[in-house]
Amino acid sequence: MKKSIITFLLALAVTVTGSLTGLLESQVYANSSDNKIARPAFGMRVAKTAKQGLGTPYVWSGSNMYRGADCSGFVMSVYSRFGKSLPHSSSALRNVGRGVSYSSARPGDILCYRGHVAIYIGRGRMIHASSTHRRVVIGRAKYRPIIAVRRIS
């Protein structure tokens, strides 16, 4: 019952705003394990904050999303803006939060690759500190095999 009311209200919001993107960004997910309703607003704020670091120089072992960071330092710096303390290690980030499948990935989730990490921003894209591009860029999430997806709450 609650789920159908929420679905109706979201559909109404789309009709009023005329924005399908708004619906996708404010979608409500039901957590079947504890019947609580979780809104992905936190992840959307993480993704939006990460985008503020676009163009920041890649700096090996750096951890400042504005002055310079490597991949794990960028993720760590973004999440620190929300009071989350994460390790400065791409391999250690594979074990933070809880694991979810890529098909269930939401903006703000951490994408883990072999020796690299990024933040999922939606629509199959991610933002990361790229050593190849020497700066923080947006790219395709599946540009190489994803070995884990982690959700921080």
Side-chain angles (χ1 to χ4, degrees):
M1 175 75 177
K2 286 182 185 178
K3 228 174 157 180
S4 61
I5 292 171
I6 292 169
T7 303
F8 169 76
L9 292 174
L10 289 173
L12 181 61
V14 168
T15 304
V16 171
T17 64
S19 169
L20 180 58
T21 302
L23 173 62
L24 296 174
E25 291 177 355
S26 63
Q27 231 174 352
V28 177
Y29 297 86
N31 184 338
S32 59
S33 65
D34 62 7
N35 283 336
K36 290 183 181 173
I37 301 296
R39 290 176 178 79
F42 173 71
M44 292 301 295
R45 290 193 329 265
V46 168
K48 184 176 180 179
T49 299
K51 290 177 188 177
Q52 294 173 6
L54 269 175
T56 297
Y58 177 91
V59 175
W60 184 80
S61 80
S63 60
N64 185 299
M65 67 177 281
Y66 300 111
R67 288 186 297 212
D70 61 13
C71 64
S72 60
F74 179 71
V75 171
M76 182 180 80
S77 180
V78 170
Y79 272 93
S80 73
R81 305 276 185 276
F82 298 92
K84 306 293 183 181
S85 179
L86 298 180
H88 192 173
S89 160
S90 59
S91 58
L93 284 167
R94 291 182 207 155
N95 300 306
V96 300
R98 75 178 168 95
V100 297
S101 66
Y102 176 73
S103 62
S104 298
R106 292 190 229 157
D109 288 346
I110 300 171
L111 302 178
C112 303
Y113 307 88
R114 174 179 268 166
H116 190 62
V117 289
I119 296 174
Y120 187 69
I121 59 171
R123 297 183 177 172
R125 299 178 323 152
M126 55 80 171
I127 186 168
H128 64 133
S130 170
S131 59
T132 304
H133 293 94
R134 308 298 302 160
R135 60 190 166 85
V136 173
V137 296
I138 290 176
R140 291 182 307 108
K142 289 185 165 184
Y143 83 109
R144 61 198 263 197
I146 297 170
I147 57 176
V149 179
R150 308 303 297 185
R151 182 161 300 148
I152 309 298
S153 52

